[in-house]
């Protein structure tokens, strides 16, 4: 199959060009605080409309890999994580930079980002086809159970407030209900607006919630990063010696496994894995007291874990059609725009493209390594560009993206609407990821629930009598009860303290 | 001068309750495939389920918000400066005008105007540089228009008086 994938790539040589462009832009988006890999993929999705599927995916995968890795630059040099995936990189990366070891922190971070991505992609290559062969036996009951499990994880883990997470998820599902019913094709909640017959597109929701919300957030805190204290970094070689790199082998492997496993679980991607890997590295270190004061192991743990999650998040996306995080949710949109529906049959229907995606991910990680080392000075300069110049340009790119979907100005209006919704939600501290995943998973949940109930004459107990769905739903219910108990226990302890 | 809204959580919950009621009301108008069938699994099933769940979750959150209101003072996120409020409203108005006039004046002209005005709104005091804003508006809008229409062969809104 790899031969066919290579032939496909050779027949589309522009893939390599767009992949490099994607990696460079992704790193820029990752490095600038407030912009993220998700936003990069969402905004540049329209660029792929006119490209062939493989060339389009090359661009999007480059953006994904670059966007996750780019966050380390501002984390180390500004003490502001470019993306949530690099929060733990600040803990030791910034102290290292202040100790005059910025080159070592950046070099170590970039090398282990690369190794983490490589680990995740290799795991993806081996796990995805196997999981697809298992998932091919899934019926509506099993699909409902997996989606229900995913939604529960997203809601409980993405917010401190369980209730707000649930509301955000439900809101996403309500917006996904607008349009034609997937089974009976009747109009639902369209308020007699013709443009709403096809419902809201996932891209308009994503662009609105991320990009427009970010612009409105910036209105609140107008700041100028022209004066940001950015030190000049002179990199010799990889910044770290071979001995220093080899000393981190176990830390790297452990963090990569943590990143991969957390990446596979829906809803919790690099934003969580980097902190978990950092904590594990600190707890298992012979010198935990050095952490937080400039320890290379801290940077290695964080950067390996968040990049290993890239391959992890792609596993449920490709094999089940269930995105692991918000970035893979946009990638799902990208695949569907090009007529590819992820799921268990994807290896049979689009095997060459799937293996081309694996090859492109591997190539993107190599490109990321080279581009970050060669272009580091350039990326540092980009950090100095004020956001009040960048954001308006991003908004017009969003408008192009929304308009390009159906050539309707109505979609640009939808972006604006979701931008306002997103801003109001973030003002009231409602998390956005459950809303996005609710929007994407809602229709999958509904269709499989209705199909399952129809096949069992309306008897919901059938969902429990099948082994896979029964175990998954039972586990999910136990997990929900445990989460509620945990919230109530912590609330009680706060009350006792007060 | 600052604007403090300690009741934003409660207002949000009331809005959510109204939304759940609206969803419930509108679900009644969804045409079902077999209206006389005894089966409840039809196009109305899931929206009814969602409106009920949303109503319940909003009520729990409303209860929590009222309890929090009496217990803790307003957090710093409740505070927003009047200048920021003006910038937010101005940005929304600019975006609405941009969207509304896009079909009349086309993408290129409206984008240039939008970028220029948005930079003015977002620039901090003393940092506004009008020539830079103007150059950015023309170059960025022109480059994006050229990339998408000429290189990627996408159709963007174009006014009748523009030949390309």
């Amino acid at each position: 199959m790899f031969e066919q994938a290579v032939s496909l790539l050779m027949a589309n040589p522009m893939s390599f060009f767009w992949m490099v462009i994607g990696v460079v832009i992704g790193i820029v988006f990752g490095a600038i605080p407030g912009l993220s890999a998700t936003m990069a993929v969402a905004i540049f999705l329209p660029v792929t409309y006119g490209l062939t599927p493989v060339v389009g995916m090359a661009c999007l995968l480059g953006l994904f890999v670059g966007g996750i890795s780019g966050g380390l630059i501002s984390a180390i040099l500004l003490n502001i994580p470019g993306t949530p995936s690099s929060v733990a990189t600040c803990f030791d990366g910034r102290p290292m930079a202040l100790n005059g070891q910025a080159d070592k922190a950046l070099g170590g971070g970039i090398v282990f980002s690369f190794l983490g991505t490589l680990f995740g992609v290799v795991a993806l290559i081996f796990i995805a086809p196997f999981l697809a062969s298992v998932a091919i036996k899934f019926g509506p009951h099993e699909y409902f159970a997996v989606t229900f499990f995913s939604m529960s994880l997203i809601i409980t883990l993405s917010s401190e407030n369980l209730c707000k997470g649930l509301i955000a998820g439900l809101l996403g599902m309500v917006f996904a209900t607008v349009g034609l019913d997937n089974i009976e094709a009747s109009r639902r909640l369209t308020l007699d607006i013709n443009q709403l017959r096809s419902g809201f597109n996932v891209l308009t929701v994503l662009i609105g919630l991320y990009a427009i919300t970010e612009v409105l957030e910036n209105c609140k805190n107008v700041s100028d990063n022209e004066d940001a204290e950015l030190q000049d970094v002179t990199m010799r070689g990889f910044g770290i010696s071979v001995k220093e790199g080899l000393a981190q082998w176990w830390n790297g492997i452990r963090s990569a496994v943590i990143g991969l496993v957390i990446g596979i679980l829906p809803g919790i991607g690099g934003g969580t894995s980097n902190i978990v890997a950092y904590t594990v590295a600190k707890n298992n270190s012979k010198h935990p007291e050095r952490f937080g004061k400039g320890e290379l192991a801290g940077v290695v743990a964080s950067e390996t874990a968040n990049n290993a999650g890239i391959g992890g998040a792609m596993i449920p996306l490709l094999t089940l059609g269930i995105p692991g995080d918000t970035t893979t949710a946009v990638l799902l949109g990208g695949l569907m725009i090009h007529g590819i529906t992820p799921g268990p049959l994807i290896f049979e229907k689009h095997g060459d493209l799937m293996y081309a995606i694996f090859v492109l991910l591997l190539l993107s990680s190599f490109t990321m390594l080279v581009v970050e080392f060669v272009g580091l000075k350039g990326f540092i300069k980009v950090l100095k560009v004020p956001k009040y110049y960048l954001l308006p340009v991003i908004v017009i790119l969003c408008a192009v993206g929304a308009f390009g979907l159906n050539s309707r100005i109505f979609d640009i209006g939808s972006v604006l609407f979701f931008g306002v919704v997103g801003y109001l939600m973030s003002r009231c501290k409602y998390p956005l990821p459950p809303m996005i995943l609710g929007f994407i998973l809602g229709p999958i949940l509904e269709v499989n629930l209705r199909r399952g109930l129809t096949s069992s004459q309306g008897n919901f107990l059938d969902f429990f009598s099948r082994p896979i769905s029964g175990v998954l739903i039972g586990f999910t219910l136990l997990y929900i009860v445990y989460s509620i108990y945990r919230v109530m226990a912590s609330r009680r302890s706060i009350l006792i303290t007060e | 001068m600052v604007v403090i809204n300690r009741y934003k959580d409660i207002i949000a919950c009331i809005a959510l309750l109204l939304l759940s009621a609206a969803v419930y009301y509108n679900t009644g108008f969804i045409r079902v495939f077999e209206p006389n069938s005894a089966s409840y699994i039809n196009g109305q099933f899931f929206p009814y389920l969602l409106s009920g769940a949303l109503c319940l979750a909003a009520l729990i959150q409303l209860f929590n918000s009222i309890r929090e209101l009496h217990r803790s003072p307003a957090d710093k996120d409740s505070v927003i400066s009047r200048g920021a409020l003006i910038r937010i409203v101005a940005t929304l108005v600019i975006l609405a005008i941009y969207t509304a006039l896009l079909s009349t004046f086309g993408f290129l002209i409206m984008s240039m105007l939008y970028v220029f005005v948005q930079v003015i709104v977002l620039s901090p005091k003393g940092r506004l540089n009008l020539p830079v804003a103007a150059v950015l508006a023309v170059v960025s809008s022109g480059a994006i228009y050229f990339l998408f229409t000429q290189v990627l062969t996408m159709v963007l809104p174009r006014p009748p008086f523009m030949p390309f």
Side-chain angles (χ1 to χ4, degrees):
Chain A
M1 202 52 103
F2 268 107
E3 291 87 14
Q4 289 175 0
V6 172
S7 319
L8 181 66
L9 287 169
M10 288 304 175
N12 293 277
M14 285 304 280
S15 310
F16 304 106
F17 169 75
W18 281 105
M19 183 197 66
V20 176
I21 296 282
V23 170
V24 175
I25 294 171
I27 295 170
V28 170
F29 267 69
I32 296 170
L35 309 187
S36 62
T38 309
M39 209 193 271
V41 180
I43 290 168
F44 282 85
L45 193 56
V47 174
T48 71
Y49 292 165
L51 305 175
T52 61
V54 68
V55 179
M57 286 314 291
C59 177
L60 299 179
L61 293 170
L63 287 162
F64 189 10
V65 173
I68 296 291
S69 179
L72 72 95
I73 299 172
S74 55
I76 291 167
L77 297 179
L78 284 175
N79 203 27
I80 305 168
T83 64
S85 303
S86 299
V87 170
T89 309
C90 295
F91 301 163
D92 279 286
R94 183 59 181 164
M96 282 180 81
L98 292 175
N99 296 339
Q101 294 182 310
D103 56 339
K104 191 190 274 189
L106 286 165
I110 295 168
V111 168
F112 279 88
S113 284
F114 163 71
L115 293 174
T117 313
L118 223 53
F119 182 89
V121 176
V122 171
L124 168 72
I125 293 170
F126 285 103
I127 297 173
F130 166 73
L131 197 62
S133 67
V134 174
I136 212 159
K137 295 171 187 122
F138 280 16
H141 300 81
E142 287 76 19
Y143 260 106
F144 169 77
V146 171
T147 317
F148 182 51
F149 172 68
S150 309
M151 273 311 297
S152 309
L153 273 184
I154 294 154
I155 286 166
T156 50
L157 293 172
S158 58
S159 169
E160 287 174 13
N161 186 325
L162 209 62
C163 198
K164 287 188 173 179
L166 173 65
I167 290 171
L170 288 168
L171 269 180
M173 288 196 225
V174 166
F175 285 120
T177 315
V178 176
L180 289 182
D181 176 14
N182 281 329
I183 294 176
E184 294 177 0
S186 49
R187 287 171 73 155
R188 301 197 299 184
L189 312 181
T190 55
L191 308 173
D192 287 332
I193 299 169
N194 270 332
Q195 286 96 330
L196 281 178
R197 280 183 70 163
S198 50
F200 294 109
N201 188 285
V202 65
L203 194 66
T204 59
V205 179
L206 270 161
I207 293 177
L209 289 182
Y210 275 87
I212 304 297
T213 302
E214 181 62 27
V215 174
L216 295 175
E217 284 288 344
N218 267 271
C219 294
K220 204 171 68 184
N221 309 312
V222 179
S223 60
D224 195 342
N225 51 349
E226 276 180 335
D227 302 328
E229 285 179 25
L230 277 167
Q231 59 194 101
D232 208 17
V233 181
T234 310
M235 192 78 86
R236 285 196 194 93
F238 282 118
I240 54 166
S241 65
V242 176
K243 195 180 163 192
E244 284 170 323
L246 287 175
Q248 299 295 331
W249 74 273
W250 174 239
N251 180 20
I253 290 174
R254 185 181 51 211
S255 306
V257 171
I258 291 171
L260 176 74
V261 173
I262 291 180
I264 293 172
L265 294 174
I268 43 167
T272 308
S273 67
N274 73 99
I275 296 170
V276 174
Y278 179 86
T279 313
V280 172
K282 186 180 176 182
N283 292 342
N284 286 284
S285 169
K286 286 177 188 165
H287 304 287
E289 74 284 353
R290 289 187 194 164
F291 277 73
K293 293 172 189 164
E295 178 73 8
L296 180 64
V299 176
V300 167
S302 168
E303 285 305 316
T304 314
N306 64 23
N307 278 267
I310 293 173
M314 294 289 286
I315 292 171
L317 171 75
L318 295 178
T319 57
L320 298 168
I322 293 174
D325 57 14
T326 47
T327 318
T328 43
V330 197
L331 282 179
L332 174 68
L335 283 166
M336 292 178 94
I337 281 169
H338 289 289
I340 301 148
T341 310
L345 291 172
I346 199 164
F347 284 93
E348 286 180 23
K349 285 183 179 170
H350 306 284
D352 52 347
L353 181 65
M354 285 309 101
Y355 282 87
I357 285 177
F358 297 158
V359 174
L360 285 167
L361 276 170
L362 288 172
L363 290 176
S364 296
S365 54
F366 280 101
T367 311
M368 177 261 288
L369 182 75
V370 175
V371 168
E372 278 196 343
F373 274 114
V374 175
L376 191 61
K377 280 188 188 291
F379 295 124
I380 293 170
K381 281 205 175 84
V382 172
L383 279 177
K384 291 186 177 179
V385 177
K387 268 206 200 169
Y388 52 84
Y389 287 147
L390 279 177
L391 289 172
V393 179
I394 287 173
V395 169
I396 54 171
L397 273 171
C398 294
V400 174
F403 184 81
L405 286 168
N406 299 302
S407 298
R408 296 188 311 182
I409 288 174
F410 176 80
D411 288 320
I412 303 176
S414 302
V415 167
L416 189 55
F417 167 73
F418 283 106
V420 175
V421 170
Y423 177 70
L424 292 174
M425 282 177 69
S426 65
R427 283 282 296 149
C428 297
K429 293 184 179 169
Y430 284 83
L432 296 181
M435 178 161 170
I436 291 160
L437 274 297
F439 185 85
I440 289 160
L441 297 181
I444 303 174
L445 196 76
E446 182 192 1
V447 166
N448 288 295
L449 175 64
R450 283 169 65 185
R451 281 187 184 149
L453 282 172
T454 307
S455 72
S456 53
Q457 279 82 44
N459 182 10
F460 190 76
L461 288 177
D462 228 29
F463 282 88
F464 288 93
S465 61
R466 287 164 186 259
I468 297 174
S469 66
V471 168
L472 264 174
I473 293 175
F475 179 75
T476 309
L477 292 176
L478 279 175
Y479 178 71
I480 291 170
V481 171
Y482 167 72
S483 301
I484 294 169
Y485 167 77
R486 206 181 51 181
V487 168
M488 291 177 84
S490 71
R491 193 168 286 170
R492 206 174 300 134
S493 70
I494 290 169
L495 280 174
I496 290 167
T497 319
E498 280 178 0
Chain B
M1 183 153 183
V2 295
V3 179
I4 302 172
N5 189 354
R6 289 190 63 197
Y7 302 98
K8 64 178 173 15
D9 253 355
I10 293 172
I11 295 167
C13 289
I14 292 168
L16 286 165
L17 284 171
L18 290 173
L19 177 70
S20 70
V23 171
Y24 184 87
Y25 175 75
N26 278 292
T27 301
F29 294 102
I30 297 171
R31 270 177 51 195
V32 289
F33 194 55
E34 290 175 50
N36 297 322
S37 163
S39 172
Y40 60 92
I41 309 146
N42 51 38
Q44 294 180 338
F45 169 65
F46 202 63
Y48 272 137
L49 199 70
L50 288 178
S51 68
L54 188 62
C55 178
L56 190 67
L59 280 173
I60 295 170
Q61 186 53 39
L62 181 65
F63 173 72
N64 287 340
S65 304
I66 292 169
R67 213 170 49 172
E68 285 291 315
L69 193 69
H70 293 302
R71 261 205 4 231
S72 52
D75 63 297
K76 63 177 173 44
D77 285 347
S78 300
V79 179
I80 185 166
S81 72
R82 195 162 288 274
L85 200 63
I86 292 167
R87 275 193 298 274
I88 290 167
V89 174
T91 299
L92 287 173
V93 171
I94 299 164
L95 280 168
I97 294 171
Y98 173 67
T99 310
L101 298 181
L102 211 50
S103 57
T104 315
F105 293 101
F107 175 84
L108 191 58
I109 294 168
M110 283 314 295
S111 295
M112 283 177 187
L113 288 172
Y114 165 74
V115 173
F116 184 69
V117 179
Q118 187 69 77
V119 170
I120 293 172
V121 170
L122 287 178
S123 297
K125 261 186 189 168
R127 288 284 189 185
L128 178 61
N129 189 333
L130 285 176
V132 172
V135 170
L136 178 78
V138 173
V139 172
S140 62
S141 305
I144 289 170
Y145 187 78
F146 177 77
L147 173 73
F148 282 92
T149 56
Q150 306 301 311
V151 181
L152 298 165
T153 60
M154 229 174 100
V155 178
L156 289 175
R158 201 179 61 186
F161 52 83
M162 213 164 103
F164 55 90

